[in-house]
Amino acid sequence: MPIKHSLIAQVGLAQPIRKLFDYKLPTCGEDTLSPKPGVRVEVPFGRRKVIGLIIRLRKKSDLNETKLKTIISILDNRPLIPCTLLRLLEWSASYYQHPLGDAAMRGMPNLLRKGSPLPETRKKYWQLSTTNIDPVLSTVKNSPKQKALLTLLMSLKAVSDKELSKEFSRSIIKRLHNNGYISQTFLDSPKTETNKILNDKTLTLNTEQQQVLNQVSLKKYHCWLLNGITGSGKTEVYLRLIERVLAKGQQTLILVPEIGLTPQTVRRFHQRFSVPLVSLHSGMTDRQRLLAWTSAKNGDASIILGTRSAIFTPIPRLALIIIDEEQDSSYKQQDGFRYSARDIAVMRAKHENVPIILGSATPSLESLHNCHTGRYTQLHLTKRAGHAKTERWKLIDMRNQAINSVIAQDTLSAIKQTLTRKEQVLVFLNRRGFAPALLCHCCGWVAECKSCDSRMTFHRSYNKLICHHCDFRSLPPSECPRCKSMKLIAHGAGTERSELLLQKAFPKTPIIRVDRDTSRKRDFMNSVYRDVKTGHPCILVGTQMLAKGHHFGGITLAVILDADTGLLSPDFRAVEKMGQLLTQVAGRSGRSEKTGEVLIQTYQPSHPSLNLLLNSGYSTFAQSLLIHRAQQKLPPYCHLALVRAESFHAPDAENFLKNIKRKAQELCSPSFKKMIYTNPMPALLERKSNRYRYVSRIEADDRHELQKLLSQLAFEMEKHPKRSGLRWTIDVDALDL
Ligand code: ADP
Ligand code: ZN
Ligand code: ZN
C-alpha cells in the first residue's frame, strides 16, 4: 500500500502563537492533493474550523504524524499569496517578533481571511457553446430574439455581458444559457496601449528634476531618498517614473501616509494617466478593499495607491515602489503587528529586485543615516518648482504676552495684514478640542480621566470632557467637585478655542476648522478645498490634518501657535518630529508666486535646535540632531527595541519585565553585556484604561544579537499564562516611547 498523506502542510493561522501548524494533506480517491504554498485552507483547530494559509510544504512533520489532523478543504486553485510575498511575510514576522500566521492572515483583505472566494474582476463575456449551430437555430426558430442573439454571437465570437444586455433582455440571455446554447467566459480587459497612457500634457521639467530622473534607473534594486523641499516637484518626479513603468506594461506601488490619501491625491494620478488605478486604505468597505486587492493581484491595476497595509498586496508585475513622506509615523503600526511599512517596503524592493524611492521634504534621521553609510542614495530638489518662492520664518516670543494668551499681538497684526492684502492664512495647532484642561480657579482641582493618568480635554461643541487616550466621555461638572466653587475655567487652547478667538478678532472673515472633529462629515475636505480654492481671504485653523500633503495655493501666512510641546517632550525623537512638522506647515505657505511668511510662537525663542532650523533649514538641523544621536548612541546609531507589559496591578507588569530581564541575562550572558537593557520603568503615560504600563528598553550595536535575544524572549513570554490579565509586546524599532 502506498503511504498516503506523505506530505505535510505548514499552515499559518490568525493566532497569537509563534508557530505554524502541521496538517496532513487531504486525499481525493487514491491521490493526495497537493496545494501550493500561498493557498488558503480550512482546517480543524480545537473544536472549531478556521481558515489558514499554507506557508510551506514538508515531506514529514516533526510531530507524531498519526496525531496530525487533516486539512478539511482547499479554498483556492492557485496561490493567493505568491512565493516572494510569503518570504517577505516570513522576514517581517521574524524581524518584528510577530506570529507569522497572524501576520500573513492580516495581510489579506478581511473577506479573504473569512473564506470568501476571490472575486472575478475580469469582464464577463458570452459565447456560443457549440460550433454546430444549425440544429440550435432550428429549435429557436419561433423566437426571433433568441435567433438574433445566436447569430450575433456567431459573427462576433464573444460579446461582453454589458454590450449584450443593451440589445437583449436578461430573460432571453438566461433562457439560452439554461438551455446550454450559450456560455460565459471571462476575459482580461484589454491592456492599455502604451501610447494611450497619458491624459495630460506634461510640464517641462526643471534642471534639478531632470537630473533626478536621469539618475534613477528602473533596472534593479536601489533605494533612493528623494530629498526635496515642499513644492519642489517631487510628485512630478514620481509621475514621470511611473510613466516609464507604465510604458513597459508594469505596475507601481505608492504608499502615502494615512491622512495623505485624499481624493486630491488620487485625482492627481487619475488626471495624468488613463490606466487602471486602485487605492487601498482604511476608509473602504470590505468588498471595495477585496476588489481593489484582487485587481492589483491579477495585474489589472497598473497603479496601486495605498496606506501602510497596502505593502502586503500581491503585485505580479511590480517594477517600482514609492513611499511618499517617508518620515511619517503612520507607516509604523502601533499595535498588534508593529511593523514599519517603509522598512518592509525597502526589503520588498530588495527581494523583488526593483527600485524604491523614499520621498520627503523632511527625511527621517534613519534614512539620512542610511544615505551617509551608502545604503541609500540621496537625490536633491532644492528649489520650488514653477515660480513659487521659499518662505520667510520668524519667531514670536510668547514670554512678553499676556498670561494665557493663545495668539500674540504680533501674530494678530500679521494675520490682519495678510487678510487686508486679500490673501489666506493657515493657523496650526496640534491639539484638538476647546481646552486641554478644565480646572478650578479656587482650589486648583483639575478634571482627570478616571482610567488614565491624563487630563480630560474640554470640547465645547459637544459640551463634553473627553479623554484623548481612552475616549472616556463625561459631562463637565457645574461646580468644583472638591470645593463646590462655580469658578471652573477652561485652561489652555485647542483648535476649537483658537477658532473662536480668531472669529472674535476677525468677525467678517470665514474661519475653517480642520481636525478630527470637524472632518467627520462626509466630503468635508472636498468642501474645504472648494472654499479655499475660490481664493477669497480666509483663515484655516487645524491640526496636522492641515499640515500634510494638501496643496492650498493662496496661503501666504502660516502660523504655528505652539512650538513648545515638541521642545519639552522627554521622547528623544520629539525634536526631530517638531522640526518635520514645522517645516511641513511652513511649506503650506507661499506655494504660489507670492513669498510666504511663517510665524512660530514659542516660550523658548533661544532654543538652539529651533534656531538652527529657522536660520539654516531642515538639512542642517537634521545633521546636528544626528551628531547628538551619535554621541548619545541613540537610533540610528544603535538598534532599539522595547519590551512592554501592562496589567491592572502595577507590580504584575513590573515583576514580569524584571523576570524577563533576568531570563535575557541567562540566555545570552556574553552578548548581554554588550547591550543596554534597562530595568522596567513606568511608560510616559503610566496608566491607560486602568492598565499600568511598564517598559524595558534594549539598545544593541549588533542587530543579529538583538534579534536572536528577542526571539528567545518572545518564546519565554509566550509561556506566561494568558488569564492573568497581563499583556506584553515587543516593539522593534519603536517610535513611541
Ligand atoms: P512636491 O510633491 O515636492 O510638494 P509637487 O510635485 O506637488 O511638489 O509640485 C508643486 C507644484 O509645482 C505643483 O502644482 C506642480 O504642478 C508644480 N510643478 C511641478 N513641477 C513643475 C515644473 N517642472 N514646472 C512647473 N510647475 C511644476
Ligand atoms: Zn475647587
Ligand atoms: Zn482615559
Side-chain angles (χ1 to χ4, degrees):
M1 260 236 338
I3 305 159
K4 282 183 189 164
H5 307 316
S6 62
L7 272 176
I8 302 296
Q10 296 200 297
V11 177
L13 301 177
Q15 296 292 331
I17 306 170
R18 280 166 182 72
K19 65 169 202 167
L20 298 175
F21 296 86
D22 286 5
Y23 286 94
K24 288 189 272 198
L25 293 175
T27 48
C28 177
E30 290 287 300
D31 305 321
T32 303
L33 297 175
S34 57
K36 294 210 168 67
V39 155
R40 285 175 304 159
V41 288
E42 192 181 25
V43 293
F45 186 73
R47 257 174 275 160
R48 293 177 299 147
K49 293 178 189 168
V50 296
I51 309 284
L53 190 75
I54 299 186
I55 306 284
R56 277 182 233 122
L57 293 170
R58 285 261 190 109
K59 281 266 175 327
K60 54 199 272 295
S61 174
D62 298 335
L63 306 168
N64 178 351
E65 292 196 14
T66 54
K67 293 224 174 104
L68 289 186
K69 293 183 181 154
T70 306
I71 288 171
I72 300 168
S73 62
I74 297 169
L75 272 60
D76 306 300
N77 297 327
R78 273 176 294 168
L80 275 192
I81 310 293
C83 253
T84 45
L85 206 50
L86 281 180
R87 297 294 88 80
L88 186 75
L89 283 162
E90 279 186 84
W91 178 84
S92 312
S94 121
Y95 184 89
Y96 293 103
Q97 304 297 336
H98 194 77
L100 172 57
D102 195 66
M105 292 303 283
R106 264 168 223 284
M108 278 192 256
N110 233 331
L111 289 173
L112 292 180
R113 212 181 305 154
K114 290 183 187 152
S116 299
L118 201 63
E120 189 50 75
T121 55
R122 294 168 307 169
K123 262 202 189 145
K124 183 156 108 181
Y125 282 79
W126 291 101
Q127 62 189 13
L128 294 174
S129 313
T130 165
T131 43
N132 187 7
I133 194 70
D134 292 338
V136 177
L137 284 178
S138 64
T139 34
V140 302
K141 63 177 180 291
N142 293 332
S143 164
K145 283 273 175 199
Q146 293 188 32
K147 212 169 143 189
L149 195 160
L150 293 169
T151 321
L152 183 74
L153 288 186
M154 221 159 61
S155 59
L156 290 180
K157 303 285 183 273
V159 177
S160 77
D161 185 60
K162 197 169 157 198
E163 289 304 317
L164 200 66
S165 55
K166 278 185 197 156
E167 295 282 319
F168 300 96
S169 72
R170 280 275 152 217
S171 64
I172 298 272
I173 299 175
K174 203 171 156 200
R175 196 168 313 145
L176 287 169
H177 184 215
N178 288 347
N179 288 336
Y181 301 149
I182 63 172
S183 59
Q184 293 174 13
T185 173
F186 291 93
L187 299 176
D188 287 328
S189 17
K191 292 273 175 285
T192 319
E193 287 169 42
T194 40
N195 58 356
K196 288 200 193 126
I197 290 169
L198 287 178
N199 281 334
D200 260 14
K201 272 214 298 288
T202 48
L203 308 156
T204 315
L205 294 181
N206 63 33
T207 323
E208 282 188 332
Q209 288 171 319
Q210 194 56 57
Q211 280 168 349
V212 165
L213 278 174
N214 292 346
Q215 224 177 320
V216 175
S217 146
L218 294 179
K219 287 210 185 75
K220 57 178 199 300
Y221 165 76
H222 192 76
C223 184
W224 309 88
L225 176 66
L226 178 56
N227 182 351
I229 62 167
T230 327
S232 59
K234 292 184 292 294
T235 313
E236 187 57 37
V237 169
Y238 304 156
L239 292 167
R240 296 298 175 105
L241 289 169
I242 295 170
E243 192 184 325
R244 286 201 219 152
V245 172
L246 293 173
K248 295 193 293 173
Q250 294 182 299
Q251 297 170 286
T252 306
L253 171 67
I254 308 152
L255 295 191
V256 296
E258 200 67 47
I259 47 180
L261 190 44
T262 59
Q264 285 75 31
T265 321
V266 182
R267 202 174 304 142
R268 190 152 174 206
F269 287 88
H270 266 308
Q271 262 165 6
R272 178 65 61 87
F273 302 116
S274 59
V275 299
L277 177 155
V278 293
S279 39
L280 283 161
H281 56 86
S282 56
M284 300 168 92
T285 64
D286 282 356
R287 187 78 202 157
Q288 287 169 336
R289 207 181 165 84
L290 176 61
L291 288 174
W293 189 92
T294 309
S295 160
K297 178 205 168 328
N298 290 347
D300 296 334
S302 302
I303 301 176
I304 296 102
L305 191 58
T307 51
R308 181 177 64 224
S309 64
I311 189 58
F312 296 116
T313 313
I315 303 171
R317 286 177 289 115
L318 181 67
L320 172 66
I321 304 179
I322 296 168
I323 314 285
D324 193 28
E325 304 283 351
E326 64 87 26
Q327 83 293 343
D328 198 278
S329 54
S330 77
Y331 287 125
K332 179 93 192 317
Q333 178 136 314
Q334 302 287 15
D335 53 13
F337 182 16
R338 293 165 184 262
Y339 64 93
S340 153
R342 175 196 63 199
D343 296 346
I344 292 184
V346 174
M347 195 42 88
R348 178 164 186 180
K350 227 182 249 179
H351 282 192
E352 304 203 22
N353 200 24
V354 301
I356 176 167
I357 315 278
L358 308 180
S360 179
T362 51
S364 63
L365 298 188
E366 277 76 9
S367 295
L368 287 171
H369 178 65
N370 279 326
C371 290
H372 298 161
T373 59
R375 269 192 291 267
Y376 302 173
T377 304
Q378 198 165 183
L379 304 165
H380 294 277
L381 293 176
T382 59
K383 299 182 192 68
R384 286 206 166 163
H387 302 285
K389 303 209 176 64
T390 32
E391 67 287 339
R392 275 195 313 263
W393 298 48
K394 201 173 145 202
L395 287 181
I396 304 281
D397 186 349
M398 294 302 282
R399 291 172 305 182
N400 308 324
Q401 303 296 318
I403 292 178
N404 288 339
S405 119
V406 176
I407 309 172
Q409 275 310 324
D410 285 358
T411 309
L412 285 172
S413 35
I415 296 179
K416 189 165 173 199
Q417 282 166 21
T418 311
L419 295 172
T420 321
R421 288 198 306 266
K422 301 259 175 278
E423 293 164 9
Q424 300 173 328
V425 181
L426 183 153
V427 177
F428 171 82
L429 178 63
N430 216 4
R431 193 187 299 133
R432 63 196 176 88
F434 187 81
L438 184 75
L439 52 85
C440 170
H441 189 67
C442 297
C443 75
W445 169 86
V446 181
E448 282 173 347
C449 176
K450 63 178 175 55
S451 321
C452 309
D453 287 331
S454 75
R455 291 176 183 154
M456 301 287 279
T457 300
F458 177 51
H459 284 251
R460 202 167 111 134
S461 53
Y462 310 137
N463 190 33
K464 282 262 161 62
L465 292 170
I466 302 179
C467 171
H468 284 185
H469 296 287
C470 73
D471 208 39
F472 171 72
R473 287 154 194 249
S474 66
L475 273 177
S478 51
E479 54 173 38
C480 171
R482 192 151 77 195
C483 75
K484 306 289 174 228
S485 148
M486 308 283 277
K487 280 193 188 156
L488 294 179
I489 48 177
H491 181 79
T495 46
E496 216 181 316
R497 180 173 239 169
S498 311
E499 177 191 18
L500 195 81
L501 292 170
L502 289 163
Q503 194 69 77
K504 273 194 191 138
F506 306 100
K508 295 205 188 85
T509 308
I511 318 275
I512 307 166
R513 174 157 63 97
V514 180
D515 56 27
R516 231 179 337 127
D517 299 310
T518 57
S519 65
R520 261 178 242 268
K521 280 175 250 150
R522 266 202 88 180
D523 211 34
F524 175 78
M525 276 321 281
N526 272 332
S527 79
V528 170
Y529 249 87
R530 277 193 297 273
D531 292 353
V532 178
K533 253 205 160 141
T534 60
H536 297 308
C538 67
I539 305 175
L540 280 160
V541 50
T543 56
Q544 54 173 341
M545 296 191 83
L546 269 186
K548 305 205 171 163
H550 298 291
H551 184 93
F552 299 113
I555 290 171
T556 56
L557 173 66
V559 178
I560 289 131
L561 287 185
D562 172 17
D564 296 329
T565 328
L567 298 176
L568 298 173
S569 164
D571 183 340
F572 73 89
R573 285 187 222 267
V575 175
E576 174 191 358
K577 280 190 211 146
M578 176 214 60
Q580 290 164 345
L581 204 55
L582 293 195
T583 311
Q584 274 162 2
V585 177
R588 301 299 121 202
S589 90
R591 291 199 121 197
S592 58
E593 318 204 337
K594 294 164 197 146
T595 309
E597 199 180 356
V598 185
L599 301 181
I600 300 172
Q601 300 194 155
T602 176
Y603 282 93
Q604 304 181 69
S606 51
H607 194 287
S609 296
L610 193 56
N611 280 278
L612 198 58
L613 180 67
L614 254 67
N615 301 326
S616 315
Y618 181 82
S619 293
T620 314
F621 164 82
Q623 199 47 46
S624 97
L625 293 186
L626 272 173
I627 293 171
H628 180 252
R629 296 264 185 101
Q631 285 162 351
Q632 305 277 315
K633 285 218 106 220
L634 285 167
Y637 297 93
C638 77
H639 302 290
L640 170 77
L642 301 182
V643 188
R644 295 197 180 92
E646 53 177 60
S647 163
F648 293 116
H649 305 284
D652 288 357
E654 193 180 0
N655 290 334
F656 175 76
L657 290 184
K658 274 188 188 154
N659 286 337
I660 289 304
K661 183 178 173 184
R662 219 168 290 135
K663 198 82 209 173
Q665 212 156 358
E666 282 166 35
L667 284 168
C668 64
S669 10
S671 50
F672 186 83
K673 291 198 188 73
K674 286 184 266 164
M675 298 181 192
I676 295 175
Y677 194 130
T678 68
N679 284 325
M681 302 169 282
L684 289 185
L685 180 71
E686 184 176 352
R687 188 175 53 117
K688 184 179 171 187
S689 300
N690 283 323
R691 286 171 175 275
Y692 292 85
R693 299 144 26 108
Y694 278 76
V695 55
S696 273
R697 222 162 119 154
I698 314 177
E699 293 168 14
D701 285 338
D702 188 326
R703 156 80 60 203
H704 295 285
E705 291 289 344
L706 178 63
Q707 288 304 115
K708 211 171 82 192
L709 173 67
L710 291 175
S711 348
Q712 286 169 321
L713 291 185
F715 183 73
E716 288 300 325
M717 293 198 277
E718 221 167 54
K719 289 189 206 154
H720 191 82
K722 287 276 170 309
R723 60 185 180 283
S724 65
L726 183 127
R727 296 187 199 152
W728 57 268
T729 53
I730 294 177
D731 193 348
V732 179
D733 301 335
L735 287 186
D736 240 16
L737 297 187

